[in-house]
PDB file of all heavy atoms in Angstrom:
ATOM      1  N   THR A 243      39.020  -4.715  18.434  1.00  0.00           N
ATOM      2  CA  THR A 243      40.130  -5.281  17.668  1.00  0.00           C
ATOM      3  C   THR A 243      40.029  -6.801  17.634  1.00  0.00           C
ATOM      4  O   THR A 243      40.295  -7.436  16.605  1.00  0.00           O
ATOM      5  CB  THR A 243      41.480  -4.855  18.264  1.00  0.00           C
ATOM      6  OG1 THR A 243      41.525  -3.427  18.356  1.00  0.00           O
ATOM      7  CG2 THR A 243      42.633  -5.327  17.396  1.00  0.00           C
ATOM      8  N   TYR A 244      39.632  -7.386  18.766  1.00  0.00           N
ATOM      9  CA  TYR A 244      39.441  -8.843  18.789  1.00  0.00           C
ATOM     10  C   TYR A 244      38.298  -9.257  17.860  1.00  0.00           C
ATOM     11  O   TYR A 244      38.428 -10.185  17.049  1.00  0.00           O
ATOM     12  CB  TYR A 244      39.155  -9.317  20.218  1.00  0.00           C
ATOM     13  CG  TYR A 244      38.571 -10.711  20.271  1.00  0.00           C
ATOM     14  CD1 TYR A 244      39.369 -11.828  20.044  1.00  0.00           C
ATOM     15  CD2 TYR A 244      37.199 -10.905  20.512  1.00  0.00           C
ATOM     16  CE1 TYR A 244      38.830 -13.110  20.071  1.00  0.00           C
ATOM     17  CE2 TYR A 244      36.651 -12.180  20.538  1.00  0.00           C
ATOM     18  CZ  TYR A 244      37.472 -13.276  20.316  1.00  0.00           C
ATOM     19  OH  TYR A 244      36.927 -14.538  20.327  1.00  0.00           O
ATOM     20  N   LEU A 245      37.152  -8.580  17.973  1.00  0.00           N
ATOM     21  CA  LEU A 245      35.981  -8.944  17.178  1.00  0.00           C
ATOM     22  C   LEU A 245      36.193  -8.698  15.685  1.00  0.00           C
ATOM     23  O   LEU A 245      35.568  -9.355  14.854  1.00  0.00           O
ATOM     24  CB  LEU A 245      34.753  -8.176  17.667  1.00  0.00           C
ATOM     25  CG  LEU A 245      34.205  -8.563  19.041  1.00  0.00           C
ATOM     26  CD1 LEU A 245      33.013  -7.685  19.406  1.00  0.00           C
ATOM     27  CD2 LEU A 245      33.806 -10.034  19.078  1.00  0.00           C
ATOM     28  N   ALA A 246      37.066  -7.738  15.357  1.00  0.00           N
ATOM     29  CA  ALA A 246      37.352  -7.467  13.939  1.00  0.00           C
ATOM     30  C   ALA A 246      37.924  -8.701  13.255  1.00  0.00           C
ATOM     31  O   ALA A 246      37.758  -8.890  12.041  1.00  0.00           O
ATOM     32  CB  ALA A 246      38.327  -6.301  13.815  1.00  0.00           C
ATOM     33  N   GLY A 247      38.611  -9.546  14.026  1.00  0.00           N
ATOM     34  CA  GLY A 247      39.150 -10.782  13.469  1.00  0.00           C
ATOM     35  C   GLY A 247      38.245 -11.974  13.693  1.00  0.00           C
ATOM     36  O   GLY A 247      38.320 -12.959  12.961  1.00  0.00           O
ATOM     37  N   ALA A 248      37.371 -11.894  14.707  1.00  0.00           N
ATOM     38  CA  ALA A 248      36.525 -13.038  15.062  1.00  0.00           C
ATOM     39  C   ALA A 248      35.184 -13.047  14.340  1.00  0.00           C
ATOM     40  O   ALA A 248      34.536 -14.088  14.244  1.00  0.00           O
ATOM     41  CB  ALA A 248      36.290 -13.052  16.571  1.00  0.00           C
ATOM     42  N   MET A 249      34.735 -11.892  13.843  1.00  0.00           N
ATOM     43  CA  MET A 249      33.447 -11.812  13.159  1.00  0.00           C
ATOM     44  C   MET A 249      33.638 -11.334  11.731  1.00  0.00           C
ATOM     45  O   MET A 249      34.630 -10.658  11.413  1.00  0.00           O
ATOM     46  CB  MET A 249      32.513 -10.837  13.901  1.00  0.00           C
ATOM     47  CG  MET A 249      32.144 -11.257  15.316  1.00  0.00           C
ATOM     48  SD  MET A 249      31.068 -10.029  16.145  1.00  0.00           S
ATOM     49  CE  MET A 249      29.557 -10.187  15.164  1.00  0.00           C
ATOM     50  N   ASP A 250      32.700 -11.672  10.869  1.00  0.00           N
ATOM     51  CA  ASP A 250      32.738 -11.149   9.498  1.00  0.00           C
ATOM     52  C   ASP A 250      32.610  -9.633   9.529  1.00  0.00           C
ATOM     53  O   ASP A 250      31.787  -9.079  10.270  1.00  0.00           O
ATOM     54  CB  ASP A 250      31.599 -11.734   8.658  1.00  0.00           C
ATOM     55  CG  ASP A 250      31.877 -13.175   8.237  1.00  0.00           C
ATOM     56  OD1 ASP A 250      33.000 -13.653   8.480  1.00  0.00           O
ATOM     57  OD2 ASP A 250      30.966 -13.810   7.674  1.00  0.00           O
TER      58      ASP A 250
END
Side-chain angles (χ1 to χ4, degrees):
T243 306
Y244 164 75
L245 290 178
M249 297 179 68
D250 284 353

